[in-house]
Amino acid sequence: MAVLWNGAGGVGCARRGQPAAALTALSLLSALLTCTVRCTPSDKPSNVLLILTDDQDVQLGGLTPMKKTKALIGDAGATFVNAFTVTPLCCPSRSSIFTGQYPHNHGVTNNSLSGNCSSSLWQKGPESQAFPIYLNKQKYQTFFAGKYLNQYGVKDAGGVGHVPAGWDQWNALVGNSQYYNYTLSVNGQEEQHGDIYEKDYLTDIILNRSLHFLDDRSPQHPFFLMLAPPAPHSPWTAAPQYKKEFIHIQAPRDGSFNKPGQDKHWLLRQAPNPMTNSSLLFLDDAYRKRWQTLLSVDDMVETLVKKLGNIKELDNTYIFYTSDNGYHTGQFSLPIDKRQLYEFDIRVPLMVRGPGIKPNQTLQAPVLNIDLAATILDISGINLSTVNMDGQSFLSQMAPSLCNGTTRSFFLVEHAGEGHPTTDPSCPKLGPGLAECFPDCVCEDAYNNTYACVRTLDKAQNLQYCEFGGAEPFVEMYNLTSDPQQLQNIVKQVDPTILQKMNQQLIKLQSCVGDSCRDIK
């Protein structure tokens, strides 16, 4: 068993049968003994808490309001500085989290029913194999509260009566993120909420119900909680006590902010540059309100950590904190949204604390949101070879002695663009096929904003290669070592043999399933 670089300056246990030439006999024996001791299952499986925010960036200061969260999870465990979503849009990304699969395998392409978001096809297929089902079979007590999938609970998707398999307690938001005036499915029963803070503010409702669950659980069984608050998604409604926070904050003006989309896909080139004053005022207002909504999530984390301590479960609970995708506010003159291939939209926060994880770790190894399911199942004791997932467990990267760790050099990012069949009412002059348009006639998505990227990230290279489909075939490539802001598309300057290799890797990734997604060379 060899000790490998895990991307974080640490060591991990290699797969059985790999050579150990780099080790002395003494260090090999030590590594083997450590892994044997640590890999032995404990008498009681560990609990898991997953907190999933909505549209929280990490590149543009999205973690700045999260002081308690960084102290109680990041500083108490591991912070992954290279965590990515495999698709920068809510419903496809969340579907990837639940299934451990790339979008081309679970089939959810966008936030609409026609894009398979919480559709009957999704429910009969990928949802019936989601990771909570395996946890439930492992006698985990499972709890969900918050936003599930964008089309969840609508009439054509089975209404509020549809409760996905694997969940013991279910408190799911009907539709997209809201803070007030929403409907919940509570174990299949409709529950209406209004606009009174003490009774209805969704972030607090999610917290309070999770606390009740922890009080009512059976101590004989482990538990899994997934909390999905609306923050910092629009409409950015802060709790009353936080509405005056950050009032002088502006979106960061550095990097690619208000830069023209030169040599980029036409959707980036169509954005007027420089941005109008109205767009700047709008995005600054959104930026500070996003931070305000996150303060309630920060409070949630603090309360949950205290609760776990009070019930003597903190030391046996893994706590994950992440988001479904990143976000932009003015980058390349796009006002606000996600859906783009650039780092600000595909990088996400990821912090984890738990048994065997040493505090104050900053880990460099790339991890994906499709890895969350495998990691959680790994914690529960599931044999990962028995599940159909594209992702892999990163448990050993956080706690190297937990064995079975692997690293990746290549991974896929994919997005299927959306557009109106006629014209977007906010921008009719640009014609059909666009969506998410603003009054200043800047559109954030389009039918042919459909791309697939191979991202390489290891000691040797830090590259991104993307191909667009549609009527305008287009390629973008970036060297993120020399150009971390992705200002210069270098596709016309790169050796053709490198482009050919990237293209071949991309083709393999676009058709990969399961193990083949982890072994791209």
Side-chain angles (χ1 to χ4, degrees):
M1 185 177 293
V3 174
L4 302 176
W5 175 78
N6 69 1
V11 295
C13 301
R15 292 174 178 172
R16 190 172 298 172
Q18 288 179 321
L23 292 175
T24 64
L26 182 61
S27 61
L28 175 60
L29 177 62
S30 175
L32 285 169
L33 288 175
T34 301
C35 286
T36 301
V37 173
R38 291 294 186 90
C39 294
T40 302
S42 62
D43 292 336
K44 181 183 178 183
S46 296
N47 312 303
V48 181
L49 167 60
L50 170 59
I51 300 171
L52 177 68
T53 55
D54 198 351
D55 287 1
Q56 186 174 10
D57 70 274
V58 70
Q59 289 288 94
L60 307 176
L63 283 176
T64 302
M66 314 303 295
K67 292 181 171 55
K68 301 170 186 176
T69 300
K70 288 189 285 188
L72 294 171
I73 303 180
D75 294 349
T79 299
F80 287 85
V81 295
N82 289 310
F84 296 87
T85 179
V86 297
T87 182
L89 186 60
C90 301
C91 197
S93 175
R94 288 165 184 260
S95 301
S96 286
I97 290 170
F98 283 110
T99 62
Q101 295 178 336
Y102 280 114
H104 68 261
N105 286 328
H106 62 60
V108 180
T109 57
N110 56 49
N111 290 341
S112 69
L113 273 180
S114 61
N116 212 21
C117 179
S118 200
S119 67
S120 58
L121 184 63
W122 153 265
Q123 294 168 10
K124 294 174 184 177
E127 186 180 72
S128 67
Q129 302 172 35
F131 78 85
I133 294 172
Y134 294 92
L135 292 177
N136 208 245
K137 290 178 180 178
Q138 291 285 91
K139 307 301 182 184
Y140 272 72
Q141 302 166 89
T142 55
F143 172 92
F144 181 88
K147 176 179 172 179
Y148 179 52
L149 302 174
N150 296 57
Q151 298 298 326
Y152 172 77
V154 302
K155 183 178 179 180
D156 291 340
V160 298
H162 172 69
V163 177
W167 298 102
D168 297 316
Q169 295 292 322
W170 180 253
N171 300 266
L173 177 68
V174 174
N176 205 1
S177 284
Q178 294 290 328
Y179 299 81
Y180 294 111
N181 299 306
Y182 55 85
T183 301
L184 292 180
S185 170
V186 180
N187 299 321
Q189 299 297 312
E190 182 177 296
E191 182 179 281
Q192 298 284 347
H193 283 265
D195 58 2
I196 300 173
Y197 171 69
E198 291 78 9
K199 293 172 55 180
D200 302 307
Y201 193 68
L202 183 54
T203 303
D204 292 352
I205 290 288
I206 292 168
L207 169 62
N208 292 335
R209 296 198 178 177
S210 68
L211 297 176
H212 289 311
F213 173 82
L214 289 171
D215 284 333
D216 295 341
R217 82 198 192 286
S218 169
Q220 287 75 36
H221 296 284
F223 56 80
F224 169 71
L225 289 86
M226 181 169 179
L227 310 184
H233 196 286
S234 62
W236 315 305
T237 309
Q241 65 270 30
Y242 293 131
K243 287 188 174 181
K244 294 184 179 180
E245 298 293 327
F246 310 123
I247 57 174
H248 300 301
I249 291 293
Q250 287 185 326
R253 263 43 178 182
D254 55 354
S256 58
F257 182 85
N258 207 6
K259 292 286 197 306
Q262 187 174 354
D263 296 326
K264 290 178 167 53
H265 187 246
W266 78 268
L267 190 64
L268 276 292
R269 301 197 303 268
Q270 59 87 33
N273 179 268
M275 302 177 73
T276 64
N277 286 336
S278 59
S279 288
L280 292 171
L281 290 171
F282 177 79
L283 68 87
D284 281 335
D285 183 60
Y287 189 87
R288 67 179 65 96
K289 285 180 177 177
R290 283 164 53 81
W291 278 18
Q292 290 170 354
T293 67
L294 285 167
L295 292 175
S296 293
V297 181
D298 205 36
D299 291 342
M300 169 192 286
V301 171
E302 179 185 42
T303 302
L304 283 165
V305 170
K306 287 181 179 179
K307 181 67 173 180
L308 291 169
N310 291 338
I311 63 175
K312 311 300 183 186
E313 293 286 1
L314 182 60
D315 291 340
N316 192 39
T317 301
Y318 288 90
I319 305 176
F320 293 74
Y321 184 94
T322 190
S323 176
D324 52 3
N325 48 255
Y327 207 70
H328 58 258
T329 47
Q331 283 60 50
F332 296 119
S333 302
L334 297 175
I336 57 163
D337 198 49
K338 49 267 186 178
R339 295 177 171 85
Q340 306 304 326
L341 57 89
Y342 308 103
E343 297 285 281
F344 41 74
D345 282 0
I346 66 173
R347 283 184 177 266
V348 294
L350 178 61
M351 296 176 282
V352 192
R353 66 173 288 173
I357 303 177
K358 293 181 180 179
N360 295 305
Q361 294 188 71
T362 300
L363 302 185
Q364 303 289 337
V367 294
L368 311 178
N369 63 341
I370 58 172
D371 298 334
L372 287 167
T375 305
I376 292 168
L377 292 186
D378 197 6
I379 291 169
S380 77
I382 288 282
N383 181 349
L384 297 181
S385 66
T386 65
V387 298
N388 179 28
M389 292 184 176
D390 304 331
Q392 61 191 32
S393 173
F394 55 85
L395 183 58
S396 64
Q397 293 177 21
M398 301 181 287
S401 59
L402 292 177
C403 295
N404 297 323
T406 58
T407 59
R408 61 161 59 84
S409 297
F410 308 101
F411 58 90
L412 177 69
V413 177
E414 51 190 343
H415 173 69
E418 291 183 84
H420 291 282
T422 53
T423 60
D424 189 301
S426 299
C427 191
K429 72 179 184 180
L430 289 181
L434 294 104
E436 305 297 323
C437 296
F438 290 86
D440 290 331
C441 217
V442 184
C443 298
E444 297 272 3
D445 206 4
Y447 280 135
N448 67 353
N449 184 40
T450 296
Y451 57 81
C453 305
V454 58
R455 184 75 168 81
T456 72
L457 182 58
D458 58 20
K459 284 182 174 180
Q461 54 187 354
N462 188 1
L463 303 172
Q464 186 182 36
Y465 172 89
C466 301
E467 295 182 0
F468 286 83
E472 184 192 3
F474 197 78
V475 178
E476 294 185 29
M477 185 168 179
Y478 300 96
N479 183 336
L480 286 106
T481 299
S482 59
D483 180 22
Q485 303 297 333
Q486 296 166 288
L487 299 174
Q488 186 178 10
N489 180 5
I490 60 172
V491 68
K492 295 179 180 179
Q493 305 164 25
V494 176
D495 186 328
T497 59
I498 296 177
L499 293 179
Q500 183 180 19
K501 181 179 179 181
M502 301 293 278
N503 170 261
Q504 291 171 347
Q505 290 166 344
L506 182 59
I507 291 172
K508 291 178 182 178
L509 281 168
Q510 285 183 284
S511 60
C512 75
V513 179
D515 289 344
S516 66
C517 297
R518 302 185 289 273
D519 296 320
I520 302 295
K521 302 298 182 183

